[in-house]
Amino acid sequence: MSYELWDRYSISSLLENQPDPRGRLFLSNLGQVNLAPVTILREGVDTIRQLYDGFLKPDVLATIHASYDLGLGPGGRGRLVEVLGREWLLGSGGKSGYRFRLQDSDLGVILFVSSRYVKENVSGSHLKIELSPHFIDERNNKKIQGYMNNLAARLLSDPHPAGCAVHLCVDVQGWVPPRDFADLLITRSRRRVDHRGISDVEFDLSELATVYGSSQSFLFGSAAGLQFSLYRKDLQAEAVDKLHFWQDLWSRRTDENFHPLYDPKKPVWRFEFRYHHRVINEFGDFIQESLKTFDDLVPHLTGLFRYGLENFRLNSVSSSCSRKASFYRGLYIDPMWQLLLQDVAFLAPDSGFFYKRARKRPGLGGFRNVRNVVGNLLSLYARYGIGPVDAVKYLMQSGIWEDIKAMYRAPLKDDIGDVMLVEKITQDIEERLRIRTLLGACV
């Protein structure tokens, strides 16, 4: 591992002076970062592209040809065709590498039929099935794979899976990328796309990255390999008229009282990794396991996501000017990346609602507990070489600042303003931090 991890704490663990592997308070020689405001709204599979080899069935192919040869339908958007007992919108396969596209957006399925690189009467990769987020959301992995296998059996003779591509995504609120995100990201990819402005509400994020004026979308990597995209999902969903679907999905994640964690007033950032089927096949070769179907991939989704985070990694930079912080700058992974690496796990898609109870913030329960937490934090600050000015700043960001002010205000006979109170707290913190350093608390 070519980077260092931050130590993690929670308010309850600080009372016991112990780290918490799931705490949101991150501490290192670079300082402190509090990710308590971050909400993970969803982790899941956004897109599935399943490939099948086989012979095209002549009757199906004849039906498609007969309709396609009639030309485009009204408005130039394709022609309706009855195939497999359903009505599809038939059009050209375009740049997909297939001759025909059968689309049913209401169902959430697109069929790419007849490879341009193989004769139609020869066995080959003649079918690619693409599933949309709402199709995936409504079914578990067994039903998804069974549905695709059934389609393949009705379109092809002797069908067998040839590979699967997936898009893995995590949607979050309460975090924004740094302004120089594209420069800070560590990646082997040479392909970086940055377009400013947007000219069409229908854009394909697998082919470009759009910046809405203030760095709100990034794309790294090639579509034929592993791509990483970070973008404002709420803006993209609104642009393609899918915001209602995503807001409903995000609202399923709730707190301990089953109140939605999603806030419609806050931006939603999406971390998305897109794995081409060739990359997936290389993983299968390495672990000596067949990864030709989506069902094969399900146990490996979390591992694939973490591999993506390792290959497109954001390292930490520090705003501190201290010598110690300067020495460690660039060695630590960004706390948000660490949170995603350690806390996010992918489950198989499932039908029905998924509720996850959020952790309830433990109450401090009195000034004695506040003193213990502050004392343990100051010992940690001394150990990491954090100075008094930064220490006060980090206490303000720790999530217990109001409790700290109340503790300092309680013994005072006269009510003083916040400015004088902060000065008093700063003087006390500076002295206590110096004492801990001299006593060797930083060792």
Side-chain angles (χ1 to χ4, degrees):
M1 188 167 57
S2 59
Y3 55 84
E4 297 290 335
L5 294 174
W6 296 59
D7 295 326
R8 298 178 64 174
Y9 296 87
S10 61
I11 300 303
S12 57
S13 76
L14 283 167
L15 283 170
E16 301 172 3
N17 199 23
Q18 295 291 332
D20 181 348
R22 289 294 181 264
R24 293 295 188 90
L25 201 63
F26 290 74
L27 284 165
S28 77
N29 293 288
L30 291 179
Q32 171 186 294
V33 175
N34 186 6
L35 293 184
V38 175
T39 301
I40 298 177
L41 298 174
R42 177 184 181 265
E43 60 284 317
V45 181
D46 183 75
T47 302
I48 299 171
R49 295 190 177 108
Q50 178 73 61
L51 280 67
Y52 290 90
D53 286 348
F55 290 93
L56 281 166
K57 289 188 174 180
D59 57 331
V60 175
L61 188 58
T63 301
I64 293 174
H65 268 297
S67 295
Y68 189 78
D69 291 343
L70 293 174
L72 298 177
R77 293 179 174 269
R79 182 170 293 277
L80 295 177
V81 60
E82 186 84 16
V83 177
L84 308 180
R86 293 188 66 90
E87 195 172 55
W88 303 82
L89 184 64
L90 173 63
S92 168
K95 298 179 181 179
S96 67
Y98 292 82
R99 294 181 176 91
F100 309 108
R101 184 191 73 249
L102 300 172
Q103 183 171 347
D104 185 342
S105 295
D106 185 54
L107 178 63
V109 177
I110 300 177
L111 308 179
F112 294 96
V113 180
S114 184
S115 173
R116 293 185 184 274
Y117 309 108
V118 183
K119 291 183 178 181
E120 291 183 333
N121 60 348
V122 176
S123 179
S125 184
H126 283 302
L127 175 63
K128 179 169 72 174
I129 302 174
E130 181 171 322
L131 304 180
S132 72
H134 73 266
F135 183 96
I136 298 168
D137 178 62
E138 294 169 357
R139 296 162 179 85
N140 61 39
N141 60 299
K142 297 296 182 184
K143 290 182 178 179
I144 289 171
Q145 193 63 58
Y147 187 89
M148 293 191 294
N149 289 346
N150 180 55
L151 286 176
R154 297 172 68 185
L155 283 164
L156 304 175
S157 298
D158 189 28
H160 51 279
C164 183
V166 291
H167 294 183
L168 305 179
C169 63
V170 174
D171 298 332
V172 304
Q173 283 189 317
W175 176 86
V176 294
R179 287 185 175 273
D180 49 354
F181 175 83
D183 296 324
L184 295 175
L185 193 74
I186 307 299
T187 174
R188 298 171 185 168
S189 171
R190 295 181 180 180
R191 177 178 169 83
R192 300 187 178 203
V193 186
D194 179 351
H195 295 284
R196 297 191 177 273
I198 179 169
S199 59
D200 190 345
V201 295
E202 292 190 9
F203 55 91
D204 184 356
L205 280 170
S206 67
E207 295 181 358
L208 57 88
T210 308
V211 177
Y212 295 83
S214 58
S215 295
Q216 292 174 331
S217 184
F218 306 88
L219 180 68
F220 305 88
S222 167
L226 170 59
Q227 279 188 327
F228 167 57
S229 182
L230 175 68
Y231 60 99
R232 282 280 302 274
K233 182 59 185 179
D234 53 328
L235 295 180
Q236 186 268 346
E238 187 175 17
V240 296
D241 197 25
K242 298 292 184 182
L243 186 58
H244 178 75
F245 166 78
W246 287 107
Q247 286 182 328
D248 176 70
L249 194 152
W250 293 327
S251 296
R252 298 177 191 174
R253 193 61 54 89
T254 64
D255 62 15
E256 68 277 4
N257 296 315
F258 289 92
H259 296 142
L261 295 172
Y262 168 63
D263 185 348
K265 298 178 181 178
K266 293 182 179 179
V268 176
W269 283 93
R270 165 163 291 189
F271 297 80
E272 186 169 319
F273 294 96
R274 301 162 186 162
Y275 287 84
H276 193 271
H277 69 274
R278 292 192 185 93
V279 177
I280 299 294
N281 288 340
E282 289 172 1
F283 276 107
D285 292 339
F286 179 77
I287 65 175
Q288 298 183 334
E289 186 175 326
S290 175
L291 298 180
K292 300 294 186 181
T293 71
F294 174 66
D295 197 35
D296 294 337
L297 285 180
V298 168
H300 303 283
L301 295 179
T302 299
L304 288 173
F305 178 72
R306 290 173 179 168
Y307 176 87
L309 288 168
E310 294 272 4
N311 276 264
F312 298 93
R313 189 179 72 245
L314 188 66
N315 280 4
S316 290
V317 294
S318 173
S319 58
S320 175
C321 297
S322 70
R323 265 185 177 177
K324 199 167 187 179
S326 298
F327 176 80
Y328 287 101
R329 188 175 296 131
L331 294 180
Y332 283 90
I333 193 172
D334 186 85
M336 187 63 196
W337 245 246
Q338 184 174 336
L339 180 71
L340 294 173
L341 273 169
Q342 295 179 333
D343 288 18
V344 172
F346 282 74
L347 303 173
D350 206 349
S351 55
F353 290 95
F354 172 64
Y355 292 102
K356 181 176 180 180
R357 294 170 69 93
R359 285 185 167 201
K360 186 175 182 180
R361 180 181 178 272
L364 291 179
F367 294 147
R368 179 182 177 184
N369 286 339
V370 178
R371 280 193 294 271
N372 289 338
V373 170
V374 172
N376 290 331
L377 275 173
L378 291 178
S379 296
L380 290 169
Y381 294 163
R383 181 190 307 168
Y384 293 123
I386 296 171
V389 175
D390 284 335
V392 174
K393 179 180 70 175
Y394 293 146
L395 286 175
M396 290 179 176
Q397 300 168 355
S398 66
I400 59 168
W401 181 242
E402 294 302 320
D403 298 301
I404 294 173
K405 289 198 299 183
M407 178 184 69
Y408 274 89
R409 198 184 293 274
L412 300 177
K413 295 181 179 180
D414 300 322
D415 188 21
I416 62 175
D418 273 358
V419 174
M420 293 183 62
L421 183 64
V422 171
E423 289 180 358
K424 178 177 176 60
I425 294 174
T426 302
Q427 292 172 1
D428 185 51
I429 295 302
E430 184 173 4
E431 181 179 356
R432 294 170 65 183
L433 199 59
R434 182 61 178 160
I435 289 172
R436 279 168 169 75
T437 303
L438 293 175
L439 288 174
C442 56
V443 178

